[in-house]
Amino acid sequence: MFLTSLLLLLITGCVHSQIVLTQSERPVTVTPGGSHRLTCACSGFSVSSYWMGWIRQAPGKGLEWIIYYYDESNKYSAQLVQDRFTASKDSSNLYLHMNIVSAEIRHDQSSAEVKKPGEAVKISCKISGYDMTSNYLHWIRQKPGQALEWIGRMNTGSNSATYADSMKDHFKMTEDVSTSTQFLEAKSLRAEDTAVYYCARRDTVMDLIEQLY
């Protein structure tokens, strides 16, 4: 269900008298896969003359900005809502279009495998809940008792990968955009490849880096 509170933010550099922002009054529940449009009727100023913004607050969390919008040539959106939330406006209204209220974000990896040194393996990671091509996808591994180790990243949609120096001649990353699936392949496994392997999108990796460093 979509229960997040959504608010309008008017970004200006001065104070106006009798400015009134009237948002859609009733909360709505939208099931995953649905869509919805919120309206903010504005009076006391010209909507077309100002940057406007939408922010939201999930239950128990802080305020989170979604979109800053001036016109179609001048707009910014948070990475987590790109391709899902868009904005528009006319002379007196600002709109938030939730084009796809997505289901739970999931990275479903293939089952664990037991292999012998010298054998090949191909791990899959099927993405759902967002457009795979809107984010870099990373592969990370963790050997028993050791820290996380970055393998590489895929520039999704282009089948172009970047690898850690120690990994580039050992692993190969590929993708199938039609099925929203990423793959990590090793042609000849080594004993030291024993590890738990993870696929993660860019924002998750950035959060990990901030926590570690």
Side-chain angles (χ1 to χ4, degrees), residues 1-2 6 28-38 83-86 96-103:
M1 293 184 179
F2 188 80
L6 291 156
V28 295
T29 300
V30 183
T31 57
S35 61
H36 187 67
R37 186 181 78 170
L38 294 179
D83 303 318
R84 298 193 294 120
F85 288 15
T86 58
L96 179 66
H97 308 271
M98 293 168 281
N99 295 325
I100 303 175
V101 180
S102 64

Side-chain angles (χ1 to χ4, degrees), residues 56 61 64 77-82 84 102 105-107 127-140 148 150 153-154 156 199-212:
R56 69 181 179 183
K61 296 186 178 181
E64 178 184 21
S77 59
Q79 184 178 8
L80 289 176
V81 301
Q82 285 179 359
R84 298 193 294 120
S102 64
I105 290 174
R106 296 177 60 93
H107 290 181
I127 287 91
S128 60
Y130 68 97
D131 179 4
M132 182 185 77
T133 61
S134 66
N135 289 267
Y136 285 113
L137 265 295
H138 298 251
W139 283 97
I140 303 166
L148 293 170
W150 184 71
R153 76 178 186 190
M154 173 66 73
T156 54
C199 63
R201 67 179 186 174
R202 181 184 182 279
D203 53 337
T204 302
V205 174
M206 293 300 103
D207 287 344
L208 285 171
I209 290 173
E210 289 176 0
Q211 291 173 25
L212 291 171

Side-chain angles (χ1 to χ4, degrees), residues 9 11 15 33 60 71 76 82 103 110 127 138 150 167 178 187:
L9 175 65
I11 306 167
V15 177
D71 56 32
Y76 303 95
Q82 285 179 359
S110 48
I127 287 91
H138 298 251
W150 184 71
M167 306 287 184
S178 66
K187 293 293 186 182

Side-chain angles (χ1 to χ4, degrees), residues 84-98:
R84 298 193 294 120
F85 288 15
T86 58
S88 64
K89 62 183 179 180
D90 54 32
S91 59
S92 58
N93 296 286
L94 178 69
Y95 305 100
L96 179 66
H97 308 271
M98 293 168 281

Side-chain angles (χ1 to χ4, degrees), residues 164-180:
D165 289 341
S166 60
M167 306 287 184
K168 61 184 178 182
D169 296 323
H170 186 51
F171 289 102
K172 182 180 181 180
M173 298 168 59
T174 56
E175 64 180 351
D176 183 348
V177 175
S178 66
T179 60
S180 295

Side-chain angles (χ1 to χ4, degrees), residues 117-130:
E119 291 185 332
V121 68
K122 189 174 185 178
I123 306 169
S124 65
C125 177
K126 184 172 178 59
I127 287 91
S128 60
Y130 68 97

